[in-house]
Amino acid sequence: MPFDYAAVIYTHKDVSASDLGRYRLSDDVMTRNSGISGRTPEFVILNTCNRSELYVYSDAVDQTLHAVLRHVGREAGERAQVLKGVEAVKHLFRVASGLESVIIGETEIVHQLKSAYRTYKDAGYCSDNLDSLLGDAINFSGKLRRDTNISKGSISAPYVALSFLPKHLAKGQKVAVVGAGYMAGRALESLTSRYGNGCITLFDRNEDNGMKMAASFYVRFAQLDFGNLDSYDFVVSAIYYDGKSVRLTGPKKIVDLSSPSVFAGENVVGIDEINRCARSSIKMRLDAVEKCGRLIDDYVGKNYCPPSSDSQRR
């Protein structure tokens, strides 16, 4: 039943990317929530640099939502967008298709959703109902991208970030990439394509993950020590770090894709600035948004009705 689905949402539309880390959802909202009795409902959490979203399937969806909002606290609860039933389903389809992204039609989001889907399925939190819904949303997003212009000339955050770096490096200049997650991987893909791999070093806190990614791009790996980054000319960062802001004077430019921001200073381009630049590149996709929205509404209406649903914003 679609009314058993719900979503708790924080996105770039309501919270600045630099503040989004304060509202970042974790498994604790479901697994260590005293307000949820009995078996933990099915759930998946999608955390990216521009959103933190909880998708739930529960036989007692109102009770579950009440427990989640109480768990995150009053201020976070009031900032959350809460959707139930068909509206939650439509939102998931829109997210998977890139309609809710800063860069309309971007494709990173579907890879991030697939990763979250696999993680929670492997952990046993995403079973029959959410499994079916997420698989359907991911598959339908592929159809939309093939049949419409929503992803035409798609520009992702790492590609936008690259516009802040020189097209060519001077002799001896070096680039550091911080992180070994999906966004860092896309940044490495772009950077190695532009500069080659001899001038790039990957830094990460996790040696196994970092060495594996570095090897796949044929770049050097080093254990993350922020102080060592001062000897690099350019830095691209995509990690989660909740410590004190880091200031480096050595790099000419630091492109910080992290949320919350890791670096501070006049030489830093943060995620909010990257997002502002990204918004200016979406004009050619806007004509496809309305069409995609109608296609999603029609598909969800046919496959996940009853037609009326209850949604609320808190």
Side-chain angles (χ1 to χ4, degrees):
M1 286 290 292
F3 283 98
D4 295 330
Y5 294 109
V8 177
I9 301 159
Y10 301 95
T11 77
H12 61 93
K13 293 184 176 182
D14 303 304
V15 181
S16 70
S18 56
D19 287 337
L20 194 58
R22 294 169 50 201
Y23 303 100
R24 188 181 178 92
L25 295 163
S26 68
D27 294 357
D28 288 357
V29 300
M30 298 295 293
T31 60
R32 297 186 180 183
N33 192 327
S34 60
I36 297 176
S37 57
R39 182 184 175 187
T40 301
E42 294 180 44
F43 75 97
V44 169
I45 294 175
L46 175 64
N47 280 320
T48 75
C49 59
N50 284 307
R51 67 185 61 254
S52 184
E53 302 188 348
L54 166 69
Y55 294 94
V56 175
Y57 179 89
S58 172
D59 292 334
V61 70
D62 288 325
Q63 178 185 341
T64 300
L65 286 173
H66 178 75
V68 167
L69 295 175
R70 186 177 61 184
H71 186 88
V72 300
R74 180 178 177 180
E75 194 245 342
E78 290 176 348
R79 294 297 298 270
Q81 180 183 7
V82 180
L83 300 175
K84 294 191 292 182
V86 174
E87 294 305 316
V89 173
K90 287 181 181 178
H91 179 78
L92 174 61
F93 274 69
R94 290 179 64 87
V95 168
S97 300
L99 299 188
E100 297 294 321
S101 297
V102 173
I103 306 174
I104 299 296
E106 56 93 4
T107 57
E108 277 91 3
I109 188 63
V110 73
H111 297 292
Q112 292 164 330
L113 187 58
K114 285 179 180 179
S115 177
Y117 175 31
R118 287 192 296 266
T119 297
Y120 284 88
K121 185 175 181 178
D122 290 346
Y125 294 127
C126 176
S127 48
D128 294 344
N129 297 287
L130 272 185
D131 187 359
S132 175
L133 175 63
L134 267 75
D136 202 14
I138 290 168
N139 289 335
F140 191 78
S141 75
K143 175 177 171 57
L144 277 189
R145 295 178 199 281
R146 290 190 300 271
D147 296 347
T148 73
N149 291 328
I150 193 62
S151 295
K152 185 178 180 181
S154 181
I155 302 173
S156 65
Y159 291 122
V160 174
L162 207 62
S163 68
F164 293 95
L165 301 180
K167 291 184 178 180
H168 305 283
L169 295 180
K171 185 177 180 179
Q173 286 188 324
K174 300 183 299 181
V175 179
V177 176
V178 181
Y182 177 78
M183 291 290 281
R186 292 303 299 271
L188 269 174
E189 182 180 9
S190 302
L191 290 165
T192 53
S193 177
R194 177 180 287 193
Y195 301 137
N197 47 34
C199 59
I200 298 172
T201 301
L202 174 68
F203 290 83
D204 195 59
R205 291 165 291 192
N206 186 303
E207 184 173 0
D208 290 339
N209 292 345
M211 290 186 69
K212 182 177 179 180
M213 179 168 285
S216 67
F217 287 97
Y218 301 99
V219 299
R220 289 182 293 274
F221 170 77
Q223 196 80 31
L224 178 59
D225 180 336
F226 288 119
N228 291 338
L229 299 177
D230 246 334
S231 64
Y232 284 77
D233 299 281
F234 303 99
V235 176
V236 178
S237 174
I239 60 171
Y240 177 71
Y241 174 72
D242 58 0
K244 187 177 179 181
S245 294
V246 178
R247 291 180 178 271
L248 301 175
T249 58
K252 294 176 174 61
K253 188 73 68 178
I254 299 171
V255 180
D256 194 354
L257 292 161
S258 310
S259 179
S261 298
V262 175
F263 298 94
E266 293 183 357
N267 58 345
V268 176
V269 177
I271 190 66
D272 285 334
E273 186 173 353
I274 292 169
N275 286 344
R276 283 194 293 272
C277 292
R279 291 187 184 100
S280 68
S281 68
I282 66 172
K283 292 181 180 179
M284 65 180 171
R285 305 179 190 92
L286 291 179
D287 61 345
V289 171
E290 185 176 349
K291 178 181 179 180
C292 289
R294 288 197 305 270
L295 291 172
I296 288 173
D297 289 349
D298 290 345
Y299 182 84
V300 171
K302 291 176 182 177
N303 294 276
Y304 292 90
C305 263
S308 61
S309 65
D310 180 26
S311 65
Q312 60 181 340
R313 190 177 186 87
R314 300 186 183 182

